[in-house]
Amino acid sequence: MIILGLSGALGHDPSAAIVVDGEVVAAAEEERFVREKHAKNRMPVESARYCLRAAGVAPGQLDAVAFPYAPISLFTPARWHYARRYWYAPDRSLDALLNGNRRYRRNRARVRALGDDLGIDWSRTRFEPVEHHLAHASSAYHLSGFTEKTAIMCVDGKGEYATTFFGCGENGRIRRIKEFFDPDSLGGVYGAMTEYLGFEMLDGEYKVMGMAPYGDPARYDLSRLIQPRGRGFEVDTRYVNTVGLRRYKENGVGYYFSDRLIDWLGPRRMGDVADEPYVHYAAALQRMFEDWCLKLMETYVGDVLRESGKLAFAGGGALNVKLNQRIVDLDHVDELFVQPAAGDSGTALGAATSVAARHGDRLTRMNHVFLGPSFDDQDCRDALEAAGHRLQWRKLEDVPRETALLLTAGHPIAWFQGRMEFGPRALGARSILGCPSTPGIADRINEQIKFRERWRPFCPSLLDRIAPEVIGTDHPAPFMTITFDVAEAWKSRIPEVVHQDGTARVQVVEREYQPRYYALLEHMEALTGNGVVLNTSLNRRGEPMVCSPGDALDMFFGCDLEYLVLEDYLVSKADDE
Ligand SMILES: [Fe+2]
């Protein structure tokens, strides 16, 4: 089967993925093409075009278009739960009962229109809606490569109505065990508190998580926000996950928390510093989120985990690397697979794999995220020539070796190689690199380009053969989705990539999937004794990751970085600039 998966149902992170006979051939986020972070309220037009092109598939050949948003029947608990819990906003409450699939119909119309633009023949190509959380679940389970019974967990803000999903995967099929529905959303509480802590939802969650280690989680008790109910939980919407008149408003903008929360905790945080009492709130929130996820996981899929030890995890909540560290540390978890595009962009992949699995296609483990566009020598030369006199460039004889020499001389390097990553993490295709034993390199990268909050950590990529020594485990970690404790002996060797709490969000690199990046790490090892680089995404603050050579050069001119390694070329700024 040839299946095009599309996402963007919730108004953010549209993306496209194409799965041909069970093989994921291409996937990319729309934001990278349109150069607008999260590409809000757009459809995945350019990313869909790219996927068709990359797979060499004509629109008329598609068997199905899969979309991660489905109609929800009134004969299931979802809409009734929503209606009951939103009693204080009767318009929403009634709407869920009387017209609860309006958003689905709107989405379907938009997908059909996009299909028409692409040249899809709807008399031949089926439109296949997949429930949002089943798409998340599929993106994790079907691409985990696990052959034994697998526990599945999905945590996000919300899909149609569901916010949290527990299931079991066996023989390629997913069985639903338990779902929670809006407004009872752990991801929603994290998002609302992210807004309260002065950041934007969708990006700010990482910042809250990065801030948490600076605070004391026991200083404030936030437990009133999420109360136990039966075997599950209920969110107190008088404080968070709030809509309508209950919302706190500031300069005409409404937030997902209430005036009551402000009365309790004080004014909303502003600015870039990690200050009191907010660091403690961040710490308490992070702890509460972890504790609830672990508790629910135990309740609903603990038995599956005890049987097989395998867990597949997706949804925006799965990008919480600290939670993932606690999961991996559990005795009865042998292996955790986190879908690298765990947020909503990954639901394009999830919808497509869900349909593929239903039709009997065999899906295998997702070993890498290099599913985006690549650019050949001519593309690079064209972009360089268009940039003209402002640049100097030369072809390198030995790219990994010469890059390693520049890194160890203390220079941060913009690094552009091969196919672009799918998902939010730069994993060595569109990255900024630094030598993690060069004192102050993290600050320099911040000053030259990233302008990140100073308390946010940078992350390491490292050689697979040294990983057990550095992080004390051989648990797979190819996607920077889990933090690990760094071995004492290594903390002083790579201080620039170790977080405040002694952990690092590592990427373990394998030669098979990234031969050139691996060779670079080997040269770093020969030069410094450490087969490690600092790796952060190739973009300026507030912009999506770079996609094309032209994007890379635009970014390069707009920052103070001195060097860009663009495929085989070493690019630097001309002297007269
Ligand atoms: Fe989602």
Side-chain angles (χ1 to χ4, degrees):
M1 291 237 342
I2 306 179
I3 305 160
L4 179 68
L6 302 173
S7 79
L10 282 306
H12 58 84
D13 296 300
S15 68
I18 194 159
V19 176
V20 179
D21 298 331
E23 188 195 346
V24 180
V25 176
E29 282 102 336
E30 187 72 5
E31 62 163 27
R32 312 283 163 87
F33 299 94
V34 300
R35 310 304 307 150
E36 192 188 298
K37 229 173 171 193
H38 302 297
K40 287 182 185 163
N41 300 317
R42 288 175 179 267
M43 289 298 282
V45 184
E46 299 305 323
S47 42
R49 288 210 170 96
Y50 155 70
C51 283
L52 291 168
R53 211 165 50 236
V57 166
Q61 290 173 277
L62 287 172
D63 295 303
V65 170
F67 194 69
Y69 204 89
I72 302 298
S73 163
L74 196 56
F75 300 105
T76 65
R79 288 162 63 184
W80 291 98
H81 179 93
Y82 183 98
R84 180 172 64 77
R85 297 279 283 118
Y86 277 103
W87 61 267
Y88 68 91
D91 51 328
R92 289 187 184 234
S93 186
L94 280 174
D95 214 45
L97 296 179
L98 303 177
N99 199 4
N101 288 313
R102 181 182 3 217
R103 190 163 194 163
Y104 164 71
R105 286 193 299 276
R106 196 171 61 214
N107 271 319
R108 186 182 56 186
R110 293 182 79 188
V111 172
R112 291 213 167 243
L114 168 59
D116 292 342
D117 284 351
L118 293 173
I120 288 171
D121 173 3
W122 291 113
S123 68
R124 177 182 189 284
T125 303
R126 281 212 308 277
F127 173 72
E128 298 250 22
V130 176
E131 275 181 46
H132 189 77
H133 274 261
L134 275 181
H136 275 309
S138 175
S139 76
Y141 169 62
H142 286 123
L143 297 173
S144 67
F146 295 154
T147 50
E148 49 282 84
K149 205 169 176 182
T150 299
I152 305 171
M153 174 160 80
C154 303
V155 177
D156 72 358
K158 76 176 248 195
E160 297 90 355
Y161 293 92
T163 64
T164 315
F165 173 100
F166 292 94
C168 174
E170 200 171 12
N171 301 323
R173 291 190 184 280
I174 295 172
R175 179 167 57 86
R176 201 184 317 237
I177 292 173
K178 173 72 183 173
E179 280 177 308
F180 292 90
F181 303 107
D182 197 29
D184 298 315
S185 169
L186 302 177
V189 172
Y190 209 101
M193 289 301 288
T194 293
E195 287 190 331
Y196 170 73
L197 290 169
F199 306 112
E200 270 186 56
M201 268 193 197
L202 299 180
D203 284 314
E205 287 84 348
Y206 298 123
K207 303 181 186 183
V208 173
M209 190 172 60
M211 199 191 248
Y214 293 84
D216 172 4
R219 185 80 76 89
Y220 295 97
D221 177 9
L222 301 182
S223 63
R224 70 175 75 167
L225 301 180
I226 305 173
Q227 295 286 330
R229 278 290 175 278
R231 301 171 77 204
F233 69 99
E234 198 170 278
V235 169
D236 192 337
T237 56
R238 289 175 303 170
Y239 295 97
V240 283
N241 296 5
T242 304
V243 299
L245 295 172
R246 277 191 186 172
R247 277 190 182 189
Y248 171 73
K249 293 188 188 62
E250 204 177 279
N251 303 324
V253 180
Y255 294 90
Y256 285 98
F257 55 85
S258 66
D259 292 322
R260 190 189 281 242
L261 185 85
I262 300 270
D263 293 342
W264 175 37
L265 297 178
R268 195 169 77 95
R269 198 193 72 89
M270 312 255 197
D272 265 0
V273 281
D275 49 356
E276 297 209 7
Y278 302 100
V279 286
H280 304 305
Y281 296 157
L285 171 69
Q286 174 66 26
R287 173 68 61 84
M288 181 172 66
F289 178 77
E290 291 171 10
D291 288 349
W292 268 110
C293 288
L294 292 174
K295 185 178 159 173
L296 295 170
M297 190 177 92
E298 179 57 37
T299 302
Y300 295 106
V301 291
D303 55 336
V304 183
L305 285 172
R306 275 187 186 76
E307 195 178 323
S308 75
K310 305 286 185 191
L311 176 67
F313 189 14
L319 295 170
N320 196 300
V321 296
K322 300 283 179 191
L323 166 64
N324 295 345
Q325 177 168 14
R326 283 184 67 187
I327 292 174
V328 168
D329 282 345
L330 293 172
D331 283 341
H332 57 293
V333 174
D334 296 333
E335 193 177 344
L336 165 65
F337 177 84
V338 177
Q339 162 53 238
D344 273 4
S345 66
T347 57
L349 201 52
T353 51
S354 176
V355 172
R358 212 188 304 149
H359 288 273
D361 285 346
R362 218 176 74 81
L363 293 144
T364 53
R365 188 180 179 94
M366 182 174 177
N367 287 310
H368 65 80
V369 295
F370 308 110
L371 297 166
S374 62
F375 298 86
D376 63 15
D377 193 68
Q378 191 59 51
D379 296 327
C380 294
R381 290 194 76 95
D382 289 348
L384 287 164
E385 273 155 20
H389 69 282
R390 295 188 292 166
L391 291 174
Q392 293 178 330
W393 76 88
R394 66 184 170 89
K395 207 160 189 167
L396 296 174
E397 289 285 311
D398 184 340
V399 172
R401 183 171 168 279
E402 296 189 60
T403 305
L405 284 169
L406 283 168
L407 287 169
T408 51
H411 302 286
I413 308 272
W415 172 259
F416 182 112
Q417 300 289 333
R419 295 184 73 179
M420 181 178 71
E421 296 91 344
F422 182 55
R425 301 275 81 92
L427 296 170
R430 304 289 184 275
S431 290
I432 295 168
L433 308 179
C435 173
S437 54
T438 299
I441 194 73
D443 282 343
R444 245 181 102 192
I445 290 173
N446 260 330
E447 280 157 24
Q448 290 187 349
I449 169 158
K450 296 298 273 197
F451 310 109
R452 279 159 54 127
E453 299 79 0
R454 296 181 69 88
W455 38 269
R456 290 182 63 201
F458 285 104
C459 304
S461 300
L462 46 93
L463 292 169
D464 51 1
R465 58 181 158 73
I466 66 166
E469 190 191 320
V470 179
I471 56 172
T473 171
D474 58 1
H475 189 283
F479 302 132
M480 282 191 182
T481 46
I482 309 170
T483 53
F484 296 90
D485 291 330
V486 176
E488 218 41 56
W490 276 86
K491 284 182 184 160
S492 54
R493 290 171 70 169
I494 49 171
E496 298 284 314
V497 289
V498 180
H499 201 182
Q500 165 86 1
D501 56 4
T503 66
R505 171 159 60 86
V506 302
Q507 174 198 6
V508 174
V509 181
E510 289 178 72
R511 192 194 303 273
E512 188 181 348
Y513 308 112
Q514 290 177 279
R516 187 173 265 190
Y517 197 43
Y518 198 90
L520 169 64
L521 288 165
E522 287 189 308
H523 282 291
M524 292 300 287
E525 187 178 47
L527 290 165
T528 68
N530 310 321
V532 186
V533 291
L534 177 158
N535 173 6
T536 184
S537 56
L538 186 57
N539 62 299
R540 281 177 296 205
R541 189 174 182 170
E543 291 180 3
M545 242 194 281
V546 154
C547 177
S548 69
D551 302 336
L553 290 170
D554 277 350
M555 188 224 69
F556 188 53
F557 285 122
C559 70
D560 290 333
L561 282 176
E562 299 160 279
Y563 298 104
L564 160 67
V565 176
L566 178 64
E567 297 293 351
D568 294 345
Y569 296 93
L570 176 65
V571 186
S572 57
K573 286 165 189 158
D575 290 337
D576 59 337
E577 281 288 304

PDB file of all heavy atoms in Angstrom, residues 10 12 132-133 136 155-159 315-316 342-344 347, ligand 1:
ATOM      1  N   LEU A  10      -4.951  19.899  14.758  1.00  0.00           N
ATOM      2  CA  LEU A  10      -5.205  20.753  15.923  1.00  0.00           C
ATOM      3  C   LEU A  10      -4.720  22.184  15.716  1.00  0.00           C
ATOM      4  O   LEU A  10      -4.582  22.943  16.675  1.00  0.00           O
ATOM      5  CB  LEU A  10      -4.544  20.162  17.170  1.00  0.00           C
ATOM      6  CG  LEU A  10      -5.201  18.981  17.890  1.00  0.00           C
ATOM      7  CD1 LEU A  10      -6.651  19.291  18.239  1.00  0.00           C
ATOM      8  CD2 LEU A  10      -5.108  17.689  17.132  1.00  0.00           C
ATOM      9  N   HIS A  12      -1.741  23.186  14.639  1.00  0.00           N
ATOM     10  CA  HIS A  12      -0.298  23.415  14.733  1.00  0.00           C
ATOM     11  C   HIS A  12       0.452  22.166  14.268  1.00  0.00           C
ATOM     12  O   HIS A  12      -0.100  21.073  14.231  1.00  0.00           O
ATOM     13  CB  HIS A  12       0.120  23.780  16.155  1.00  0.00           C
ATOM     14  CG  HIS A  12      -0.241  22.729  17.175  1.00  0.00           C
ATOM     15  ND1 HIS A  12       0.548  21.638  17.419  1.00  0.00           N
ATOM     16  CD2 HIS A  12      -1.321  22.597  17.981  1.00  0.00           C
ATOM     17  CE1 HIS A  12      -0.010  20.887  18.345  1.00  0.00           C
ATOM     18  NE2 HIS A  12      -1.148  21.438  18.701  1.00  0.00           N
ATOM     19  N   HIS A 132      -6.872  10.448  16.923  1.00  0.00           N
ATOM     20  CA  HIS A 132      -5.618  11.137  17.209  1.00  0.00           C
ATOM     21  C   HIS A 132      -4.686  10.308  18.103  1.00  0.00           C
ATOM     22  O   HIS A 132      -3.496  10.139  17.808  1.00  0.00           O
ATOM     23  CB  HIS A 132      -5.922  12.485  17.869  1.00  0.00           C
ATOM     24  CG  HIS A 132      -4.732  13.365  18.011  1.00  0.00           C
ATOM     25  ND1 HIS A 132      -4.204  14.074  16.948  1.00  0.00           N
ATOM     26  CD2 HIS A 132      -3.937  13.631  19.075  1.00  0.00           C
ATOM     27  CE1 HIS A 132      -3.142  14.746  17.359  1.00  0.00           C
ATOM     28  NE2 HIS A 132      -2.960  14.508  18.650  1.00  0.00           N
ATOM     29  N   HIS A 133      -5.220   9.781  19.177  1.00  0.00           N
ATOM     30  CA  HIS A 133      -4.352   9.031  20.097  1.00  0.00           C
ATOM     31  C   HIS A 133      -3.967   7.663  19.558  1.00  0.00           C
ATOM     32  O   HIS A 133      -2.900   7.145  19.892  1.00  0.00           O
ATOM     33  CB  HIS A 133      -4.976   8.963  21.490  1.00  0.00           C
ATOM     34  CG  HIS A 133      -4.618  10.166  22.309  1.00  0.00           C
ATOM     35  ND1 HIS A 133      -3.627  10.168  23.245  1.00  0.00           N
ATOM     36  CD2 HIS A 133      -5.081  11.433  22.256  1.00  0.00           C
ATOM     37  CE1 HIS A 133      -3.498  11.379  23.754  1.00  0.00           C
ATOM     38  NE2 HIS A 133      -4.379  12.163  23.166  1.00  0.00           N
ATOM     39  N   HIS A 136      -0.937   8.595  17.539  1.00  0.00           N
ATOM     40  CA  HIS A 136       0.245   8.689  18.409  1.00  0.00           C
ATOM     41  C   HIS A 136       0.720   7.279  18.803  1.00  0.00           C
ATOM     42  O   HIS A 136       1.912   6.962  18.741  1.00  0.00           O
ATOM     43  CB  HIS A 136      -0.086   9.462  19.688  1.00  0.00           C
ATOM     44  CG  HIS A 136       0.019  10.958  19.559  1.00  0.00           C
ATOM     45  ND1 HIS A 136       1.144  11.585  19.045  1.00  0.00           N
ATOM     46  CD2 HIS A 136      -0.837  11.959  19.901  1.00  0.00           C
ATOM     47  CE1 HIS A 136       0.963  12.904  19.084  1.00  0.00           C
ATOM     48  NE2 HIS A 136      -0.236  13.159  19.588  1.00  0.00           N
ATOM     49  N   VAL A 155       0.596  10.662  25.927  1.00  0.00           N
ATOM     50  CA  VAL A 155       0.226  11.804  26.766  1.00  0.00           C
ATOM     51  C   VAL A 155       0.397  13.056  25.923  1.00  0.00           C
ATOM     52  O   VAL A 155       1.496  13.322  25.426  1.00  0.00           O
ATOM     53  CB  VAL A 155       1.133  11.889  28.011  1.00  0.00           C
ATOM     54  CG1 VAL A 155       0.786  13.122  28.842  1.00  0.00           C
ATOM     55  CG2 VAL A 155       1.028  10.630  28.861  1.00  0.00           C
ATOM     56  N   ASP A 156      -0.686  13.807  25.720  1.00  0.00           N
ATOM     57  CA  ASP A 156      -0.534  15.092  25.034  1.00  0.00           C
ATOM     58  C   ASP A 156      -1.537  16.089  25.600  1.00  0.00           C
ATOM     59  O   ASP A 156      -2.128  15.840  26.661  1.00  0.00           O
ATOM     60  CB  ASP A 156      -0.633  14.943  23.504  1.00  0.00           C
ATOM     61  CG  ASP A 156      -2.042  14.643  23.008  1.00  0.00           C
ATOM     62  OD1 ASP A 156      -2.963  14.504  23.837  1.00  0.00           O
ATOM     63  OD2 ASP A 156      -2.222  14.557  21.777  1.00  0.00           O
ATOM     64  N   GLY A 157      -1.713  17.230  24.952  1.00  0.00           N
ATOM     65  CA  GLY A 157      -2.703  18.209  25.406  1.00  0.00           C
ATOM     66  C   GLY A 157      -4.087  17.635  25.202  1.00  0.00           C
ATOM     67  O   GLY A 157      -4.795  17.312  26.142  1.00  0.00           O
ATOM     68  N   LYS A 158      -4.478  17.478  23.948  1.00  0.00           N
ATOM     69  CA  LYS A 158      -5.664  16.716  23.606  1.00  0.00           C
ATOM     70  C   LYS A 158      -5.722  16.455  22.107  1.00  0.00           C
ATOM     71  O   LYS A 158      -5.093  17.176  21.326  1.00  0.00           O
ATOM     72  CB  LYS A 158      -6.942  17.427  24.061  1.00  0.00           C
ATOM     73  CG  LYS A 158      -7.377  18.612  23.208  1.00  0.00           C
ATOM     74  CD  LYS A 158      -8.711  19.174  23.700  1.00  0.00           C
ATOM     75  CE  LYS A 158      -9.810  18.928  22.696  1.00  0.00           C
ATOM     76  NZ  LYS A 158     -11.028  19.722  22.903  1.00  0.00           N
ATOM     77  N   GLY A 159      -6.462  15.430  21.744  1.00  0.00           N
ATOM     78  CA  GLY A 159      -6.727  15.148  20.338  1.00  0.00           C
ATOM     79  C   GLY A 159      -8.146  15.592  20.049  1.00  0.00           C
ATOM     80  O   GLY A 159      -8.475  16.763  20.197  1.00  0.00           O
ATOM     81  N   GLY A 315       3.181  11.265  21.928  1.00  0.00           N
ATOM     82  CA  GLY A 315       2.433  12.441  22.394  1.00  0.00           C
ATOM     83  C   GLY A 315       3.452  13.442  22.910  1.00  0.00           C
ATOM     84  O   GLY A 315       4.577  13.067  23.285  1.00  0.00           O
ATOM     85  N   GLY A 316       3.056  14.713  22.924  1.00  0.00           N
ATOM     86  CA  GLY A 316       3.995  15.749  23.358  1.00  0.00           C
ATOM     87  C   GLY A 316       4.626  15.441  24.716  1.00  0.00           C
ATOM     88  O   GLY A 316       5.791  15.763  24.960  1.00  0.00           O
ATOM     89  N   ALA A 342       7.486  12.857  18.690  1.00  0.00           N
ATOM     90  CA  ALA A 342       6.412  12.478  19.618  1.00  0.00           C
ATOM     91  C   ALA A 342       5.266  13.479  19.609  1.00  0.00           C
ATOM     92  O   ALA A 342       4.134  13.140  19.918  1.00  0.00           O
ATOM     93  CB  ALA A 342       6.970  12.341  21.026  1.00  0.00           C
ATOM     94  N   GLY A 343       5.548  14.726  19.255  1.00  0.00           N
ATOM     95  CA  GLY A 343       4.507  15.751  19.190  1.00  0.00           C
ATOM     96  C   GLY A 343       3.593  15.514  17.995  1.00  0.00           C
ATOM     97  O   GLY A 343       3.643  14.460  17.341  1.00  0.00           O
ATOM     98  N   ASP A 344       2.763  16.505  17.686  1.00  0.00           N
ATOM     99  CA  ASP A 344       1.732  16.268  16.684  1.00  0.00           C
ATOM    100  C   ASP A 344       2.269  16.071  15.268  1.00  0.00           C
ATOM    101  O   ASP A 344       1.591  15.471  14.437  1.00  0.00           O
ATOM    102  CB  ASP A 344       0.682  17.377  16.722  1.00  0.00           C
ATOM    103  CG  ASP A 344      -0.400  17.049  17.742  1.00  0.00           C
ATOM    104  OD1 ASP A 344      -0.261  16.014  18.441  1.00  0.00           O
ATOM    105  OD2 ASP A 344      -1.373  17.811  17.843  1.00  0.00           O
ATOM    106  N   THR A 347       2.103  12.558  14.233  1.00  0.00           N
ATOM    107  CA  THR A 347       0.837  11.863  13.989  1.00  0.00           C
ATOM    108  C   THR A 347       0.591  11.620  12.500  1.00  0.00           C
ATOM    109  O   THR A 347      -0.215  10.768  12.148  1.00  0.00           O
ATOM    110  CB  THR A 347      -0.371  12.606  14.593  1.00  0.00           C
ATOM    111  OG1 THR A 347      -0.417  13.941  14.072  1.00  0.00           O
ATOM    112  CG2 THR A 347      -0.296  12.653  16.111  1.00  0.00           C
TER     113      THR A 347
HETATM  114 FE    FE B   1      -1.287  15.104  19.943  1.00  0.00          FE
END
